Amino acid sequence: MILLVCLQIYEILKYPNDNGIVIFVLGVLFILTVYHFLLYFQHRDTTYLFYSSYTFLILISHVDDVSSGFIFEWIKPIHYYINEFNINITWTYNLLYFIFAFTFIDLKAYSKKWHNLIFRSVYGIFIATVLFGVLYRITGDIQFIRKGDLIFIVSIFILSIVSYVLLFKIKANLKYYIIIGSLFLFVSSMTATVIFKLKLLPVENELRFTIFYIGILVENIFFSLGLGQKQKRIIQERNESQEKLIKQLKKNEKLREKIQKRLERDVKGLSKQAEADKLESIKIKFEKELAELKVESLRNQMNPHFIFNSLNSIKRYIIDNEKENAVYYLNKFSKLTRLILSSSTEQVISLKDELETITLYVNIENIRFNNDIEFLLEVDEAVNQEHIQIPPLILQPFIENAIWHGLSLRKTNKKLKLKIENEGDSHLKIDIIDNGIGRKRSAEIKSKKIHNQKAVGIKITEERLKNFSKNLNNDYSLLIGDLYDDDHTPLGTQITLKLPID
């Protein structure tokens, strides 16, 4: 019974064209081509584009193997061109295999050097095959095709050895889908070649073609499974990022509630300490602490929005598979968070630390503007950044206003400049200049909004500046003015802050 079944299977396999095996394999290749081509437009991942191109060229290369049926009738008008360019198509899909494989496992992240070497080799071989094809069609000399095929086989053989050694060195589980799939195709190809070269079967027996088709089918099944596994990992990473974001937002909400209760407790405690002989000193102390608590509350009310927007932008890089950008900005974000938490416990920090925090803040905010904002920081050499002490995050509200009320409404050529210099021995002069739409136009736009929230950041900052200056010999000054050209057209806004130096 088993022998009879085996004989029946053998009879089916030795005539793949008559028994529909060719049509089945071509149908699978067509489905894989269309499916992964549509996935490319959904995810914008070039891996899908390379793979769909790879399966499509295999399909075109072997569609001429069909000797009857509707497909045979369809390809009759282009039968000549398929035969004429079949060798070029074969060369091309073999080269596309390397591009797909190393894009799939992200060779560039593992080693830029090997990535450049492999891809330059592929491009070089492709240019050589195109050149031989052109020479053959110009001269009609078939030797150009034969020589080109020989050079191609030798080059691909060397490139394959290097690639497989490299694949085994790379620490990535996804590589096994490429290795196993390619191994199946290699074994089936070699088996078919041996059967043909040694004439182990009669010419009319086409079992060798069936073996080759099975190799193609198994290889592409493994490649498709690998792409599915890769997409599953991307979705898992995205879900994990969202969970971390939700946890961070809940944590910030608890912190905001804690600070709010502290404010209420301090206000109640003030009425109990209102002794006549100490009222003035208590009042001054309370005002100073209240100002610091207000800014601390403002920070923690701002942080959930800022954190959410920042992590959302970083999440977009992860979804778009821009790992380098995601890691780059995630490092900046974590450093900014550490600096803010550290400075929140200090009354004053060095100018150097403040400028580092502001630079990180602008870089992260700039993600949402596709890095369109040109940020220029100029610090005079005479300014001692390490010794000069200023209130922490004192410049952030001004920078934030410049970005969101001035530059965000400008379409192109967005510029933000922070200039710092000494003004004599008594003050530090800080200029914040933007080329936004100006305060007048910003106020008009703001007045038309349905939800028009009153900004308190600058007001609280002025309270902090007053408290900072109380213990110093000189007072601060703050000027906010609009910039115009000769035709009185708004050119932006300039903020000049003069801080007393101890």
Side-chain angles (χ1 to χ4, degrees), residues 372-374 406-415 435-436:
D372 287 343
I373 299 176
E374 180 184 344
L407 296 175
S408 66
L409 301 174
R410 184 182 177 93
K411 294 182 179 180
T412 59
N413 193 29
K414 304 174 182 179
K415 294 182 179 180
N435 66 338

Side-chain angles (χ1 to χ4, degrees), residues 67 122 133 183 312 402:
S67 59
V122 170
L183 183 62
N312 211 28

